[in-house]
Amino acid sequence: MKNDVGVIGLGVMGTSLARNFASRGFSVGAFDRTYEKGKATAARHPEAKLDVSPDLATFVASLARPRRIVLMIVAGAPVDEVLDKLDPLLEEDDIVVDGGNSLFDDTDRRDARAKERPWRFVGMGVSGGEEGALLGPSMMPGGDLAAWKHLEPVLTKIAAVGSGGPCVTHCGAGSAGHFVKMVHNGIEYGDMQLIAESATLLRSGLGLAPDRVADVFSTWNEGELESFLVEITADIFRVKDPRAPDALLLDSVLDRAGQKGTGRWTVIAAAELGVAIPTIAAAVDARIVSAGKSLRERIEPVLGGHATALEGVSEDDVRDALYAAKITSYAQGFTLLARASESKGYGTKLGEIARIWTAGCIIRARFLDRVTAAFADDGLESLVLAPDFADELRKRLPAWRRVVAASARAGIATPGFSTSLAWLDGVSTARGSASVIQAQRDYFGAHGYERTDEPGVAQHTEWKTLARG
């Protein structure tokens, strides 16, 4: 008997995914670069009956054809190294799936390589962390459509199930799967930053005790803000420090945020495609600022110490600001997905992407059902133009403005809230400040400009001569 599917890499995610396959009735072949580690992992989970091979040749031979092989290894050079070793062992229509957080450019390169070989390559984003991989993740495969048809019966059985069915879909051609996962992570950065700012405003700005902050987030999680990230934030504010039972563990967590690069990749990709994603960019910048802990400690005595209580703002105002800013963050992310699909020929269906994010993934949230419905109209240019979202933004704008203004007066940094509001004000202003910039560019560099009454016709003016006679 041959195994139905193979998993390479028995780290946390790989082991959980292998166990997930096994729990759904699939026989699983496995390989880890350290054979002893692989055998030990299988011994810890005897119910999965993982068939761990001592070498890649044995592993490949253990799989039914056409083979389905999922790589759950560190992104970058290790993926290429494994592909190099697999290449001579694979046969016609075998499928290799890269389930790591690979940069989409690398996925395009590997996809092009596979097109010259008898086997097929699929880049697939996997979200949900260790628990999601074990119980049901959200999965974002792209690439070869024929490969997807062979993977679909397996992946739909192990995926999380949302209101619209299994949270897996073919995201489009080429590197679409990893591009979609990258944007998912970028939106995740924005969500986390906005929630963190909300928590700071509630606790430091409004003076709420930790238990009260936890209660507020729990209440929010019962309504329109219901999401995995809001839910876990409530839990975080309830955990006491094991070393000091009367203290909050959060207060002993160093305020220096880590990042693995996907947020930064999202910002770079957006800049290259000409899409503004300031909420995500602000979240990336905030993590970079947080990393400079020693510098912040030196600057605070010089320029800091000015934070005061929020005035004229309620808990409900913070909730409304969070919800509104969240809408703009998703709007930016989906605009980026649309632009990438058009530019790179992905053929990504935005409604389908929202649907597979309703369960299993880190950004799963109640309002994604409504995002799915909004993008059922393929002609929707921006989420903020969907009638119900536009209506909700209008209703929440006054509270959002109060929160941003009060935060600025109190000296509490809210880059996510502030930048998101500035973006919305910018995109909802028919005539903005760019005319001044175009005039400046033409003044010092003769870059030209267009007149409002002659769009499309290049103009140049000797500004200095006209201004100074």
Side-chain angles (χ1 to χ4, degrees):
M1 294 291 292
K2 298 287 188 177
N3 292 312
D4 299 311
V5 63
V7 176
I8 295 180
L10 293 177
V12 171
M13 288 290 287
T15 298
S16 293
L17 201 68
R19 292 172 61 199
N20 188 349
F21 280 121
S23 72
R24 313 301 167 126
F26 298 110
S27 56
V28 183
F31 175 80
D32 194 87
R33 62 180 179 176
T34 306
Y35 180 53
E36 293 74 15
K37 173 190 168 186
K39 293 294 286 184
T41 297
R44 285 197 303 275
H45 306 288
E47 77 290 346
K49 300 179 181 178
L50 301 182
D51 180 15
V52 181
S53 297
D55 55 69
L56 278 176
T58 305
F59 165 77
V60 170
S62 76
L63 303 175
R65 293 192 57 205
R67 300 176 177 95
R68 292 174 286 215
I69 299 172
V70 182
L71 310 185
M72 298 300 292
I73 59 179
V74 176
V79 176
D80 293 311
E81 292 170 6
V82 171
L83 289 178
D84 288 341
K85 293 174 181 177
L86 283 174
D87 188 19
L89 303 173
L90 299 177
E91 300 176 86
E92 192 76 22
D93 292 332
D94 288 348
I95 303 165
V96 180
V97 179
D98 175 13
N101 271 338
S102 289
L103 178 61
F104 66 92
D105 286 335
D106 289 339
T107 303
D108 278 326
R109 173 173 52 79
R110 291 162 187 152
D111 186 53
R113 170 187 181 174
K115 282 181 168 55
E116 304 298 321
R117 307 296 298 144
W119 47 275
R120 303 173 186 273
F121 180 78
V122 169
M124 181 175 77
V126 179
S127 180
E130 178 182 3
E131 181 176 327
L134 178 62
L135 302 178
S138 172
M139 291 174 288
M140 297 150 255
D144 190 292
L145 190 57
W148 159 244
K149 295 300 183 183
H150 189 57
L151 292 168
E152 185 176 11
V154 174
L155 296 182
T156 52
K157 283 191 177 181
I158 70 164
V161 178
S163 56
C167 291
V168 59
T169 193
H170 185 254
C171 294
S175 58
H178 276 139
F179 196 98
V180 169
K181 177 56 163 56
M182 177 192 73
V183 174
H184 165 284
N185 285 19
I187 293 172
E188 178 185 312
Y189 271 58
D191 259 6
M192 294 173 72
Q193 178 64 30
L194 293 170
I195 292 170
E197 291 177 17
S198 299
T200 299
L201 292 174
L202 292 173
R203 191 176 183 200
S204 300
L206 297 180
L208 303 188
D211 286 345
R212 176 58 188 158
V213 174
D215 289 342
V216 169
F217 276 105
S218 291
T219 300
W220 289 355
N221 196 52
E222 294 171 359
E224 62 197 7
L225 280 170
E226 179 189 350
S227 69
F228 173 71
L229 288 171
V230 169
E231 176 187 355
I232 68 171
T233 305
D235 288 344
I236 287 167
F237 273 90
R238 298 191 194 281
V239 177
K240 301 299 183 183
D241 190 341
R243 300 183 186 180
D246 293 331
L248 189 69
L249 178 57
L250 181 63
D251 290 341
S252 293
V253 176
L254 187 65
D255 62 328
R256 189 162 60 200
Q259 54 181 316
K260 293 185 177 179
T262 47
R264 183 175 68 251
W265 294 348
T266 309
V267 173
I268 293 171
E272 291 175 345
L273 289 168
V275 178
I277 55 167
T279 307
I280 298 169
V284 173
D285 285 344
R287 293 198 189 192
I288 294 171
V289 169
S290 79
K293 176 71 171 177
S294 61
L295 178 60
R296 288 188 286 123
E297 289 175 336
R298 293 197 299 275
I299 292 176
E300 181 177 330
V302 179
L303 296 173
H306 47 260
T308 60
L310 286 178
E311 295 181 357
V313 167
S314 68
E315 295 171 16
D316 288 345
D317 287 339
V318 178
R319 178 203 61 210
D320 285 350
L322 174 58
Y323 188 70
K326 185 183 180 77
I327 292 173
T328 63
S329 179
Y330 279 74
Q332 295 161 28
F334 275 91
T335 297
L336 175 56
L337 287 176
R339 183 69 58 83
S341 180
E342 178 184 0
S343 175
K344 300 175 182 295
Y346 285 155
T348 304
K349 300 295 185 183
L350 300 186
E352 271 289 276
I353 301 308
R355 182 191 67 77
I356 67 170
W357 288 348
T358 58
C361 68
I362 300 302
I363 64 170
R364 59 186 183 267
R366 176 187 295 188
F367 98 137
L368 277 162
D369 283 329
R370 294 172 53 231
V371 177
T372 302
F375 283 113
D377 174 9
D378 290 335
L380 183 66
E381 291 187 68
S382 173
L383 189 62
V384 302
L385 287 174
D388 59 336
F389 283 113
D391 185 53
E392 292 192 335
L393 285 170
R394 281 191 294 268
K395 290 177 181 177
R396 288 164 173 77
L397 265 172
W400 192 3
R401 294 192 192 283
R402 284 195 296 273
V403 167
V404 170
S407 299
R409 287 194 300 269
I412 300 174
T414 54
F417 281 137
S418 304
T419 303
S420 301
L421 180 58
W423 174 83
L424 185 63
D425 283 337
V427 298
S428 59
T429 300
R431 180 169 175 82
S433 59
S435 57
V436 178
I437 294 171
Q438 283 299 87
Q440 291 171 335
R441 293 178 70 244
D442 191 48
Y443 190 118
F444 67 69
H447 294 295
Y449 63 94
E450 299 171 66
R451 289 181 57 93
T452 57
D453 52 3
E454 283 187 288
V457 179
Q459 309 280 347
H460 171 63
T461 296
E462 293 296 332
W463 298 85
K464 183 176 180 179
T465 300
L466 293 178
R468 302 185 184 182

